[in-house]
Amino acid sequence: MAYFDAASTEPLHPAAREALVTALDAADADPARLYGAARRSRLLLERARAEAAELIGARPDEVSFTTSGTQAVHLGVLGTLLGRRRAGRRMVAGAVEHSSVLQAGAAHERDGGELEIVGVDMTGRVDPAGFAAAVAREGTALACLQTANHEVGTLQPVAEAAEACRAAGVPLLVDAAQTLGRLPVPPGWSVLTGSAHKWGGPAGVGLLAVRKGTRWRSPLPEDERERRRVPGFENVPAVVAAVAALRARAAEAEAENARLSALVDRIRASVPRLVPDVEVVGDPVERVPHIVTFSCLYVAGEVILTELDRAGFAVSSGSSCTASTLRPSHVLEAMGVLTHGNVRVSLPRGASETDVDRFLAVLPEIVRRVRAAVGVESP
Amino acid sequence: MRRRDADTPVNAAAAPEGAEGPPPVALTIDALGRKCPIPIIMLAQRINDVPMNATVAVLADDPAAFTDVPAWCRLKSHHHVGSYELPQGGWAIHVRRNY
């Protein structure tokens, strides 16, 4: 089985596995207590925090660990909105943000706040001028922009957005879930979020960094843990493993990015040549190294995923057209591209050239067969 | 996340001012109740049944069709004239045959 769904979850990095096994025994006590084993847990937790801070360009006291990337986003969004309640109740977000950002915005709206969505172009990139104008409007408490889109891989103009936010005195939450461990963290963030299982750490660890000077208040009942930012007992072994993976990934990033990016380029170039009536979406150049998405006309997304699974490929799709209750992907919809027949290939660390070639070899016949089954003959 | 509410203006510029409803069409394809990609498959199979420059209306209520029919037009070099809300829900999506 070739695993091509790294954007959903990256396989556990060997460095994380090793650190996890060691830390399960070495860091099993309550880091808040005062006896020896507790101090050892606390030391490992704080060492992990300091390393994570260094890797993302933050101070250790700005970094908290959450129980997931989604929780990091929820706390980041709602906590900043609460902290800045007096500044206003407007939140600004790009149209193709992860659902955790948009759902936190929806919760804010239900609470009487306002959410302004900034549109994207056909590559999925937010319009910097539109974003700047939205941020500058009276009463804006928070702006949110992802580093890169999780469905199509397009990089967002975070540095420009950060500049506009700085000029307007508005904090910027940057959801870096798709790029932490792969690409440098863009400058100018006020709140940064990430998810360990996207960079090869274990699931159940998120990262929430709140820049000193950013007003933030917990939207949840107060709790002593994680500098009062995240309630609940820390999973120290998982945190240690997550940071070990982040460090390992950052060290390998340059070489692995170049390799994966070349494989993605091959897919981008080959698919339209091999399969008729296909559109490759997302920016061909300003993109993350590992994600490529294409849509096949006249094909239901689920059907093609099932066929690819049968052929030994784990891929995912942004489309959900055939599942009667589900709506099409908000990302593809906002871009104005096809929402059906969508295939997202996201290459994990170590993805092999042979597997990519085999994928390109089986894809045309699978699409032809799926189309023929609904009476569409390829030209 | 749902971003297209029932009251979202639908391609308002395409609706001629003062017109009672969408302009007349040469062919109507009823894809109501059909999930994508079926509405697009039906459109692709029948667009050549109308003369050049004539308009086909696709009636569809799968939200994906709202994005996918115009995207199909772009990919196949036909013209998306406009999308008009239907009283019973869904849209009449008008496509002009270009070749």
Side-chain angles (χ1 to χ4, degrees), chain B residues 39-86:
Chain B
I40 285 144
I41 292 173
M42 293 167 81
L43 172 61
Q45 283 168 340
R46 299 203 56 197
I47 187 135
N48 290 340
D49 294 354
V50 303
M52 210 77 82
N53 295 318
T55 300
V56 177
V58 182
L59 310 184
D61 50 13
D62 179 356
F66 184 86
T67 306
D68 286 5
V69 175
W72 179 87
C73 291
R74 181 170 52 75
L75 293 174
K76 304 304 283 184
S77 303
H78 288 296
H79 179 64
H80 173 231
V81 178
S83 299
Y84 309 90
E85 269 180 32
L86 297 172

Side-chain angles (χ1 to χ4, degrees), chain A residues 115-200:
Chain A
L115 171 63
E116 179 173 349
I117 299 289
V118 180
V120 296
D121 63 16
M122 206 170 275
T123 71
R125 180 174 293 103
V126 95
D127 168 33
F131 197 86
V135 164
R137 276 193 260 289
E138 186 70 25
T140 305
L142 171 68
C144 301
L145 189 61
Q146 59 193 185
T147 50
N149 185 261
H150 49 293
E151 281 185 30
V152 300
T154 299
L155 294 171
Q156 299 293 351
V158 173
E160 275 175 271
E163 199 52 48
C165 285
R166 203 178 56 83
V170 170
L172 176 66
L173 181 147
V174 174
D175 168 20
Q178 287 303 333
T179 57
L180 279 179
R182 295 179 185 273
L183 297 173
V185 176
W189 55 268
S190 314
V191 180
L192 187 81
T193 59
S195 178
H197 73 96
K198 307 269 191 202
W199 72 62

Side-chain angles (χ1 to χ4, degrees), chain A residues 277 279 298 333 337 339-340, chain B residues 4 67-68 72 74 76:
Chain A
D277 288 326
E279 182 176 36
Y298 320 126
E333 207 174 49
V337 297
T339 68
H340 75 264
Chain B
R4 191 192 309 127
T67 306
D68 286 5
W72 179 87
R74 181 170 52 75
K76 304 304 283 184

Side-chain angles (χ1 to χ4, degrees), chain A residues 274-278 297-298 368 371 376-379, chain B residues 76:
Chain A
L274 299 171
V275 184
D277 288 326
V278 157
L297 272 175
Y298 320 126
R368 197 202 59 74
R371 284 175 175 162
V376 177
E377 295 302 330
S378 294
Chain B
K76 304 304 283 184

Side-chain angles (χ1 to χ4, degrees), chain B residues 7-53:
Chain B
D7 58 356
T8 303
V10 176
N11 204 359
E17 249 179 82
E20 288 284 303
V25 296
L27 171 70
T28 298
I29 297 171
D30 184 355
L32 291 167
R34 312 295 299 271
K35 295 288 164 200
C36 266
I38 302 296
I40 285 144
I41 292 173
M42 293 167 81
L43 172 61
Q45 283 168 340
R46 299 203 56 197
I47 187 135
N48 290 340
D49 294 354
V50 303
M52 210 77 82
N53 295 318

Side-chain angles (χ1 to χ4, degrees), chain A residues 64-341:
Chain A
S64 300
F65 296 106
T66 63
T67 60
S68 69
T70 293
Q71 193 197 30
V73 167
H74 289 172
L75 288 173
V77 168
L78 298 177
T80 311
L81 287 168
L82 190 58
R84 286 187 35 92
R85 209 182 154 103
R86 279 199 219 149
R89 303 216 61 201
R90 271 171 46 79
M91 165 179 168
V92 172
V96 300
E97 292 299 304
H98 188 264
S99 58
S100 57
V101 173
L102 297 176
Q103 294 294 0
H108 177 59
E109 276 183 311
R110 286 195 296 276
D111 194 33
E114 193 190 330
L115 171 63
E116 179 173 349
I117 299 289
V118 180
V120 296
D121 63 16
M122 206 170 275
T123 71
R125 180 174 293 103
V126 95
D127 168 33
F131 197 86
V135 164
R137 276 193 260 289
E138 186 70 25
T140 305
L142 171 68
C144 301
L145 189 61
Q146 59 193 185
T147 50
N149 185 261
H150 49 293
E151 281 185 30
V152 300
T154 299
L155 294 171
Q156 299 293 351
V158 173
E160 275 175 271
E163 199 52 48
C165 285
R166 203 178 56 83
V170 170
L172 176 66
L173 181 147
V174 174
D175 168 20
Q178 287 303 333
T179 57
L180 279 179
R182 295 179 185 273
L183 297 173
V185 176
W189 55 268
S190 314
V191 180
L192 187 81
T193 59
S195 178
H197 73 96
K198 307 269 191 202
W199 72 62
V205 179
L207 184 141
L208 170 67
V210 180
R211 195 64 99 187
K212 200 171 158 57
T214 304
R215 295 185 74 90
W216 188 91
R217 258 184 66 194
S218 177
L220 296 176
E222 283 266 328
D223 189 278
E224 296 297 315
R225 305 275 167 178
E226 289 300 289
R227 289 162 174 76
R228 298 172 182 265
R229 289 200 196 103
V230 189
F233 186 75
E234 298 93 341
N235 185 347
V236 181
V239 165
V240 168
V243 175
L246 184 60
R247 185 180 50 225
R249 285 307 292 275
E252 303 163 350
E254 205 177 323
E256 189 61 355
N257 284 352
R259 206 180 65 79
L260 296 183
S261 189
L263 291 176
V264 161
D265 276 338
R266 185 183 303 183
I267 296 171
R268 291 193 72 95
S270 304
V271 168
R273 194 164 43 75
L274 299 171
V275 184
D277 288 326
V278 157
E279 182 176 36
V280 182
V281 297
D283 196 298
V285 180
E286 293 295 310
R287 59 170 180 79
V288 290
H290 62 300
I291 300 177
V292 51
T293 295
F294 56 88
S295 301
C296 308
L297 272 175
Y298 320 126
V299 170
E302 283 70 14
V303 176
I304 195 167
L305 297 197
T306 306
E307 289 299 314
L308 284 167
D309 179 39
R310 203 168 288 165
F313 295 95
V315 296
S316 79
S317 168
S319 61
S320 54
C321 300
T322 55
S324 56
T325 56
L326 298 177
R327 295 184 56 92
S329 143
H330 73 274
V331 171
L332 302 174
E333 207 174 49
M335 291 166 66
V337 297
L338 283 179
T339 68
H340 75 264

